[in-house]
Structure formats: structure tokens, C-alpha cells
């Protein structure tokens, strides 16, 4: 832990964790299920999918499966790992319904769900499924309205969630998104190199300061793309990242890089 982390930004309170985003595209569900099982055996901490209706890369009309029905299946198919979407699109479901869905998967998984959520961006999803795309600002405003509704619905449900379901918010918008993170999230997920992430952390910390929240309560997560821990691990760790997420696409779901990150995690946490 650096001196700045121990005082102003105590992110070192969180251990290093590894997530694996299994992109539900270009694969049969049997391939996806095998990938989840293999990743859990390798030792990941969190298995993520994503919330889209069509592939984001490769053949645009290729094989693809829906997010939340898949998470319910993962809740039964896995035993140890946390599960969640990276991230759920707020636009696609009524906020109270989404809260109930999350509570249900939380119970099925015996308390292993993370509610990853964002404002949405993939216009084809909206157009094909009949949702109003609107503007980026409008979608962020809708997310800001939904988060208190989700929290309120969790308090009303019977039975209640098995735990305070962690909320992960994805996105790096400094005026709206990071303010919502400060207000509602347990985890922030972003993209970029160490310099970019450090800047976003500083902005988030300032939003926390404004509302009187300890920024050290928020776990910092970053997508690492196809980078190895030797390339980016230390730099991201030094600026506060504690959750590192590797992604893979179907149909093969290569786990070679994932194994390197899990081994690196174990080395760092053992120090």
C-alpha cells in the first residue's frame, strides 16, 4: 500500500480479486456453462456476463443469450464464486422488477449476487426491442431515479435479500456517473490505463467527500482487456484498483490469460 492509499485513499483495505466476464456471444449455452465451471475451478472471485441482446463483436447476428435468465442458471451451476452482469442496462427492466429479480437470484445463489448496473449505450438493443434510446444524459438521469427505487424495493420484499446486495456501477462520466457511484455503489468499474483510472478515482473521491462518504468503502474495479498482469497489474494496483476483470468471447473462452491473473492475485495477496 502506498502512503496515499493509507491516508487519503485507503483502497488497500480490499484484497485483490479477479473477475471473468464470459461474454454470452457466439457460443451455445453448453459452452458458456463449461466456461463458468472452468473459471470457478481456476479460482476466480466473480463470474460476469453482460446485458445485451446481440453480439458486440464478430458476426452481428451471431449466437447470443439473455443476461438474467443466465444468471439464475449460474446461481445453480456454481458453488463459490459471486456472479453478476457487467453490467445490467437500467433501461431494459422496470426498476422494481429488477430489484425483485436480483433478490431472487441472490437467494438461489445463497448470497452470491452482485448487481452490476449502468445506464445503457448499445443502440441496436434499444431499436430492436422497442426501448426509447433517448440521450446519454437522459439515460443517466433514469439510472439516478432507478437506484433509490431498487434500494426501496429490496427493503419491502418478503423474503428480503440474504445480504445487502453489493451494487456495482460501470462507467466513467465524471459529473453524473461517478456521483451516482458515490451515492449508491459498493464497487466502481472503469476502463483505461493507470493514469486514467487514477484521475477517475480522484474525481470519485471528491464526490464522496461532498456527501460525507468514506471513499475507502468503494471497491475499485478495472477491465484489463487482453493485458497481462506483468503489463498492467502493478500500475493499476498502485492507483487503487483491487478488482481486475478479464474477458473472453465464445465459442472457445480461452482461460490462459485468466490463469495468469489468478496466479498474480495470489502472489499479491500473500505479501
Amino acid at each position: 500500500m502506498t502512503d496515499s492509499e493509507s491516508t487519503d485513499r485507503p483502497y488497500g483495505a480490499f484484497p485483490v480479486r479477479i473477475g471473468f466476464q464470459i461474454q454470452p456471444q457466439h457460443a451455445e449455452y453448453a459452452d458458456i456453462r463449461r466456461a463458468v465451471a472452468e473459471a470457478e475451478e481456476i479460482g476466480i472471485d466473480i463470474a460476469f456476463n453482460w446485458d445485451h441482446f446481440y453480439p458486440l463483436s464478430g458476426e452481428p447476428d451471431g449466437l447470443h443469450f439473455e443476461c438474467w435468465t443466465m444468471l439464475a442458471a449460474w446461481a445453480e451451476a456454481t458453488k463459490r464464486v459471486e456472479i453478476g452482469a457487467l453490467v445490467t442496462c437500467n433501461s431494459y427492466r422496470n426498476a422494481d422488477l429488477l430489484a425483485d429479480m436480483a433478490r431472487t437470484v441472490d437467494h438461489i445463489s445463497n448470497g452470491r449476487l452482485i448487481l452490476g448496473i449502468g445506464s445503457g449505450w448499445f443502440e441496436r438493443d434499444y431499436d430492436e426491442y422497442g426501448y426509447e434510446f433517448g440521450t446519454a444524459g437522459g439515460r443517466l438521469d433514469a439510472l439516478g431515479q432507478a437506484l433509490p427505487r431498487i434500494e426501496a424495493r429490496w427493503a419491502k420484499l418478503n423474503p428480503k435479500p440474504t445480504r445487502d446486495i453489493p451494487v456495482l456501477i460501470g462507467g466513467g462520466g465524471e459529473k453524473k456517473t461517478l456521483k451516482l457511484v458515490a451515492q449508491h455503489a459498493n464497487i466502481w468499474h472503469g476502463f483505461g490505463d493507470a493514469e486514467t483510472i487514477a484521475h477517475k478515482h480522484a474525481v470519485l473521491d471528491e464526490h464522496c467527500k461532498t456527501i460525507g462518504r468514506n471513499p475507502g468503502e468503494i471497491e475499485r474495479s478495472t477491465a484489463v482487456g487482453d493485458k497481462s498482469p506483468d503489463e498492467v497489474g502493478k500500475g493499476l494496483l498502485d492507483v487503487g484498483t483491487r478488482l481486475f476483470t478479464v474477458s473472453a468471447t465464445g465459442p472457445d473462452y480461452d482461460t490462459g490469460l485468466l490463469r495468469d491473473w489468478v496466479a498474480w492475485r495470489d502472489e499479491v495477496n500473500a505479501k
Side-chain angles (χ1 to χ4, degrees):
M1 186 187 306
T2 66
D3 290 341
S4 63
E5 287 177 316
S6 65
T7 55
D8 296 333
R9 300 200 307 233
Y11 311 138
F14 293 99
V16 170
R17 300 201 294 166
I18 302 299
F20 188 41
Q21 186 190 51
I22 300 167
Q23 299 171 351
Q25 59 178 9
H26 308 306
E28 298 289 353
Y29 182 70
D31 300 319
I32 295 170
R33 191 182 188 283
R34 280 192 293 270
V36 173
E38 181 181 356
E40 184 169 47
E41 183 177 355
I42 289 169
I44 65 165
D45 298 287
I46 308 170
F48 292 111
N49 61 8
W50 68 26
D51 190 18
H52 295 288
F53 305 132
Y54 295 93
L56 299 186
S57 62
E59 168 53 49
D61 292 314
L63 299 175
H64 200 279
F65 289 98
E66 194 274 329
C67 170
W68 275 89
T69 43
M70 183 181 299
L71 288 176
W74 286 7
E76 293 278 13
T78 59
K79 296 180 180 179
R80 177 190 56 81
V81 295
E82 291 187 293
I83 58 175
L86 195 64
V87 289
T88 299
C89 177
N90 174 65
S91 306
Y92 300 160
R93 300 163 191 87
N94 170 280
D96 292 86
L97 172 61
L98 179 60
D100 203 343
M101 292 166 63
R103 181 280 308 255
T104 300
V105 175
D106 165 69
H107 275 264
I108 296 169
S109 66
N110 292 315
R112 292 183 288 117
L113 178 78
I114 293 172
L115 177 61
I117 193 166
S119 60
W121 63 273
F122 189 41
E123 189 168 3
R124 185 184 182 190
D125 283 347
Y126 288 78
D127 292 344
E128 294 272 6
Y129 278 60
Y131 298 108
E132 181 181 352
F133 189 60
T135 65
R139 294 192 300 275
L140 276 168
D141 289 341
L143 176 61
Q145 295 164 9
L147 287 163
R149 287 178 58 189
I150 290 169
E151 295 163 355
R153 180 56 56 186
W154 280 338
K156 296 176 182 177
L157 288 169
N158 183 18
K160 297 186 185 305
T162 67
R163 63 171 178 169
D164 291 334
I165 297 175
V167 173
L168 177 155
I169 294 178
E174 296 180 8
K175 292 182 179 180
K176 290 186 176 182
T177 302
L178 292 179
K179 185 176 181 180
L180 291 175
V181 174
Q183 293 170 333
H184 298 282
N186 305 96
I187 307 168
W188 172 68
H189 182 78
F191 303 85
D193 59 18
E195 182 179 1
T196 299
I197 294 297
H199 171 71
K200 299 296 183 181
H201 285 177
V203 174
L204 175 55
D205 292 350
E206 192 61 31
H207 283 304
C208 289
K209 180 180 178 181
T210 298
I211 66 172
R213 184 178 183 189
N214 176 6
E217 296 175 357
I218 302 173
E219 186 177 13
R220 313 304 169 100
S221 170
T222 305
V224 299
D226 61 357
K227 302 294 185 181
S228 72
D230 289 341
E231 292 176 278
V232 299
K234 185 179 186 302
L236 290 170
L237 184 73
D238 286 347
V239 300
T241 300
R242 292 297 178 267
L243 173 55
F244 300 78
T245 297
V246 181
S247 60
T249 193
D252 298 327
Y253 296 113
D254 185 354
T255 58
L257 182 62
L258 180 66
R259 292 175 187 273
D260 293 341
W261 277 99
V262 169
W264 178 80
R265 175 204 66 192
D266 293 344
E267 292 174 4
V268 172
N269 285 340
K271 293 178 181 178

